[in-house]
Structures are given as structure tokens and as C-alpha cells.
Amino acid sequence: MKRRNRLIPFLAFFLIKALCSLVMLNFYMGSQISIVKLEDSLSLMLHRDNHKVNGGNRVASNIANGSSNAQTESNSTIQKITNSTLDQSNSKHDHEGGMITPNLSDGTLQGKERLWDILQTRNVTQVDAEYWASIPTWNTILHNIHRKSDIDGDNNASPIIYGLETCEAFQNATSSNPSQRRIAPAGIFNTGTNYLSVLLEYNCQNPHRVEKLHGNAKRGHGNEWEVPWGKHSPASSRGKYTKNPKSTYTVDEVLPIVLIRNPYGWMKSMCRNPYTAKWKGGNDKKTCPQLKTKERGANSEEYNPVDVKYGSGTTHHKSLGHLWNDWYGEYIYNENAAKNNEKTDAQFPRLVIRFEDIIYYPYEVTKQICTCAGGVLGHRQDDKDVADDTFHYVVRSAKAGVGHGPASQRNGLIDSWTKYGNGDPKDAYSEEEVQIAKGVLDSFIMDTFGYS
């Protein structure tokens, strides 16, 4: 009897431990499966030639003896994609279906040269014909993400980066110990912060920090996953709240890279995946985002309030549109400015970059960010996924795990080209909804970032 009593606690401990292990394994496998599913869906559309590496944007790399980041795409996954598509690509295909190599002679490459150059750096030699046809031309993309006034006579436009005048201040403030410099993304939900993090980790390193760590670029690249106060938290949390109290750097040693997105597209994304934001009618896909109370309509002065819970606390806003204003206003406006003409002077160094530009100008944007922080552009030497001295374009989705919504709603780079370049996000709204939004959205922020 006594022996049985002694065995019960032991068996209970063993069962609890086994159960915890199963739960952890299930969570891990769930996150990994979501990535594999995304890659597998891409493999049906792309043919990867694992033996041929094509050149792309060449960049000078002065970083020595680097190593890979565990959060990046694995070579084994890429090999699986290659093997799964070889049999498909070796069969006979034509333009009505199957795999093609876009070219100018048959018109399949016309207007998409820039996009094809990006894919070639990732060893892509063929694409699914129907899938490729759905991708808009560069001209279409430009006119959907830029105002006409921002497109020059040669039908070109540049990414919009706000706050470049603060780069010198950041480098000066960290000049006594440049190895402590960090770059970290920030942005409200659904603005591509994960994608930017991966871009930076692949392509930008702090040379002072790499040297300090004896060439270990894996530890020394200087790119953090998020700002110390939390990437989604408002700027007012800076210096007041820290997600990781054990961090070895201060807020002044971090250059925030703030991602902003066209509010019309952003609000619809919030309807699909609101994260911790809550408002009445948020689950009604037909009427969401519903900036004003449904019963009152456009003439109502009653807005539909939104509450958002962050690690630093909960904030309250008049509507989803006001949330966009309030969140970005804290990074753009200086409420302590004595004069109106100083209202947009930065309270601390930061860059504000458009979500649309990291999708269509990843090389140009990453280069500007890296230079601003005193970094060196160039992927780590152990990154064998692209050719040496080639910019590493991130093709797969940077989101993984149940916290980011269904895998079917997460976008890799190619899906994003189609999704965000084929139309004006305002087209998803009625005229009444657009007029309500225009009355809400901050005109200075809208104009500064080329949104209308």
C-alpha cells in the first residue's frame, strides 16, 4: 500500500511532463507546417534550378566570416521545392498552361522585366504561365502605388522615405560606441514588420559589431526583430515600457524603422485579422471597417470607437481611421513643439517607410535604411541561398504561426506583387465610405506618403 502511494506522485509527474512535451511539439509543428505549406504552394508555380545562379542587383559586401540566421529560409526546404517541381518542369508546356520562361519575343516579359530580374536572383528559371499572367506590369504597379505627380517622364518613381534628415543625429548620438547601434522595425498590425526584419537580417550588417564579435555576423548584424518597446506599441511607450528588460542596449541606440501602409488597404486587412483591436462590427466583412455607427451613416457625428490592447497598456480611439492617425502621429508629430512649423520635427531619430515600397523596392529601401544606421549592405557569407554579392530578396511569407491568421491569408513576395499592385485599395469601398474616410484620415500624413 505504501509502495503504491509512493508511485502515484511519480506517475503523475511523468504524465504531466509527457503532456507538456506533446503540447510544445504540437505548437512547433503547427508553425513549421504553415511555412512548408506556403513554400509548397509556391513550388507548384515556380521551377527552381538548383545548379544555376543568375545575377541580380550586385552589392559590395565587406563583412567577413558571417553565419546564417535560424529564422531564415532553410536550404533543405528549398531543395524539397526543387525536387518536387523538376518532374513538372521537364514535361511539355505551352503558354496556355504549365511552365514558361518569360521572354520579350512572345511578349510574356514585356513590362515585367524588373520583377523577373528579382526572381532570377532566387534561381527561378520558369514560372507557371497563368500565375505569371496575373502579375501586373511595372507600369500598372507604379500607377496604383504612386500619385501621377510622383511618376517622372520616364515612367519611374522612387520609394518615399520620411525622416532621412535624422540619420546624422542617430550616428552622432552613437558615435562613441558604434558597435551598439541597432536597427529595429516598428509598425501597427498588418504593415509588414516581419518581412522587413528578414530583409534586414539577410542584407544589412553593423560592421563595428561584427568586428567586435570576431566576424560573427549571425550575432553581430545589429538588426533586432522589433523596437524595445514593442513593434506594434505606440511611440509614446518608448522609454516607458520594455518588452525585454534584459536587453543590453538603450532606446537611443536603436533606429526605429516605422512601416506605414495605405489606410484604405490597411483597414481591410484589419477586418480580416484585427489582432488585439476591437470595435463594433469588426466581424462583419460586408460593412467593416465601419468608421461611423451603422445606424447613423455618413451624416452622423458618432464614430465607431476602437480599443487596442498592447503590452504597454490599452489605447482608445474614435474609429479605426483615427487609430491610424493617432498611431502614426506619435512617430511624425512633436506634440511638445512650441511653434506650429516645428510640429513635424522629430522627437528622436527614426525613418518612416511605406509598406508598398518594401514590396516593390526592397533593394532600394534596405540600402537607404542600412546607410542611415551606419551599416554595410551585403548578405552574410554563409548565405548560400543566393549568389555571392547578390541582394537576398525574400520570396516566401515572413509570417508563421497561428498569431498571424490563416496561412491562406499570408502573402509571399510574388502574391504580394499581384495583390497590392493590381488596383486602388479604395475600390473596395463605397463612395459614402470613402467620403467618411477622407473626413477622418490625417491630410498631412496622407499627402506626405503619397496616399489619396
Side-chain angles (χ1 to χ4, degrees):
M1 187 69 177
K2 290 182 179 180
R3 182 180 297 177
R4 182 183 299 175
N5 290 338
R6 286 197 299 267
L7 284 174
I8 290 175
F10 174 77
L11 291 173
F13 173 77
F14 178 80
L15 289 172
I16 292 173
K17 186 175 181 180
L19 180 61
C20 291
S21 299
L22 286 172
V23 171
M24 293 177 67
L25 178 63
N26 182 60
F27 176 81
Y28 171 78
M29 290 301 294
S31 63
Q32 295 304 306
I33 288 170
S34 65
I35 296 176
V36 172
K37 282 184 177 179
L38 286 169
E39 293 281 21
D40 287 347
S41 65
L42 182 62
S43 71
L44 297 176
M45 303 167 183
L46 301 180
H47 166 50
R48 290 178 160 293
D49 183 348
N50 206 35
H51 304 288
K52 180 178 180 182
V53 179
N54 298 286
N57 288 313
R58 297 288 171 178
V59 296
S61 176
N62 299 318
I63 303 299
N65 300 324
S67 58
S68 179
N69 188 292
Q71 294 175 333
T72 57
E73 299 157 299
S74 67
N75 289 335
S76 61
T77 301
I78 292 173
Q79 186 63 49
K80 290 177 182 178
I81 296 172
T82 305
N83 293 338
S84 67
T85 56
L86 283 176
D87 292 339
Q88 299 174 35
S89 61
N90 287 336
S91 58
K92 185 178 180 181
H93 299 295
D94 56 37
H95 289 193
E96 293 181 358
M99 312 300 286
I100 63 168
T101 299
N103 61 86
L104 291 174
S105 62
D106 63 6
T108 53
L109 186 61
Q110 188 70 39
K112 303 180 183 181
E113 294 89 342
R114 176 189 175 93
L115 306 178
W116 182 241
D117 285 345
I118 290 175
L119 293 183
Q120 286 187 299
T121 69
R122 298 306 314 279
N123 309 337
V124 175
T125 59
Q126 290 186 314
V127 291
D128 179 82
E130 184 177 354
Y131 190 51
W132 181 250
S134 72
I135 297 174
T137 63
W138 185 245
N139 181 61
T140 299
I141 291 170
L142 283 182
H143 284 82
N144 280 320
I145 68 170
H146 287 289
R147 295 171 299 194
K148 290 182 179 180
S149 58
D150 294 328
I151 303 173
D152 62 25
D154 294 326
N155 206 35
N156 292 316
S158 300
I160 298 173
I161 300 179
Y162 185 83
L164 287 170
E165 74 283 355
T166 69
C167 298
E168 184 177 358
F170 174 73
Q171 293 192 36
N172 289 341
T174 55
S175 60
S176 62
N177 191 3
S179 65
Q180 278 291 93
R181 289 172 180 159
R182 303 296 208 281
I183 303 173
I188 202 165
F189 315 117
N190 295 305
T191 54
T193 53
N194 289 355
Y195 174 58
L196 177 60
S197 293
V198 178
L199 268 180
L200 291 170
E201 288 188 22
Y202 270 130
N203 297 294
C204 178
Q205 289 100 50
N206 178 344
H208 306 284
R209 187 163 177 75
V210 173
E211 182 180 5
K212 181 180 179 179
L213 296 176
H214 311 291
N216 189 338
K218 179 179 180 179
R219 294 180 56 205
H221 54 71
N223 301 294
E224 300 297 329
W225 190 251
E226 60 183 338
V227 291
W229 52 97
K231 60 183 178 182
H232 298 316
S233 297
S236 55
S237 300
R238 181 180 183 267
K240 301 176 183 178
Y241 169 77
T242 303
K243 286 194 71 173
N244 180 15
K246 295 181 180 180
S247 61
T248 58
Y249 49 90
T250 68
V251 294
D252 293 323
E253 293 171 330
V254 176
L255 178 67
I257 310 300
V258 185
L259 285 168
I260 189 170
R261 180 176 174 183
N262 186 311
Y264 291 99
W266 172 77
M267 288 189 288
K268 286 297 184 181
S269 286
M270 288 294 289
C271 293
R272 291 188 292 271
N273 190 14
Y275 287 77
T276 60
K278 294 183 179 181
W279 69 99
K280 185 178 180 180
N283 294 325
D284 188 341
K285 300 301 184 281
K286 293 182 179 180
T287 61
C288 189
Q290 196 176 323
L291 302 185
K292 287 192 174 182
T293 55
K294 186 176 181 180
E295 296 78 11
R296 303 276 182 167
N299 296 325
S300 173
E301 294 300 322
E302 296 183 22
Y303 289 102
N304 194 7
V306 177
D307 296 329
V308 189
K309 186 177 181 180
Y310 305 104
S312 56
T314 301
T315 60
H316 310 280
H317 311 271
K318 288 184 179 180
S319 73
L320 198 60
H322 289 91
L323 167 59
W324 189 86
N325 291 345
D326 298 341
W327 201 96
Y328 289 104
E330 291 191 9
Y331 275 103
I332 293 174
Y333 296 128
N334 186 347
E335 297 300 335
N336 298 320
K339 301 177 182 178
N340 286 335
N341 62 351
E342 298 174 346
K343 191 177 180 182
T344 56
D345 289 348
Q347 300 183 65
F348 51 86
R350 81 284 183 260
L351 297 181
V352 187
I353 293 172
R354 302 195 317 166
F355 162 81
E356 295 80 9
D357 289 334
I358 66 168
I359 293 174
Y360 298 108
Y361 301 95
Y363 170 77
E364 293 85 349
V365 168
T366 304
K367 182 179 180 180
Q368 289 267 39
I369 294 171
C370 202
T371 302
C372 179
V376 175
L377 188 71
H379 75 276
R380 297 193 297 273
Q381 287 186 349
D382 67 321
D383 177 8
K384 304 303 182 182
D385 213 15
V386 295
D388 291 342
D389 301 329
T390 302
F391 185 82
H392 188 134
Y393 291 94
V394 180
V395 174
R396 70 163 172 82
S397 173
K399 290 185 175 184
V402 295
H404 297 288
S408 61
Q409 294 181 10
R410 304 177 208 144
N411 298 298
L413 180 62
I414 304 171
D415 293 321
S416 295
W417 287 345
T418 302
K419 182 173 183 179
Y420 303 115
N422 256 328
D424 186 336
K426 287 203 303 294
D427 293 343
Y429 295 80
S430 67
E431 182 58 34
E432 180 185 38
E433 290 172 326
V434 170
Q435 292 307 313
I436 293 174
K438 285 183 176 180
V440 169
L441 298 171
D442 185 293
S443 59
F444 174 80
I445 299 178
M446 291 287 286
D447 184 66
T448 297
F449 293 96
Y451 299 137
S452 58

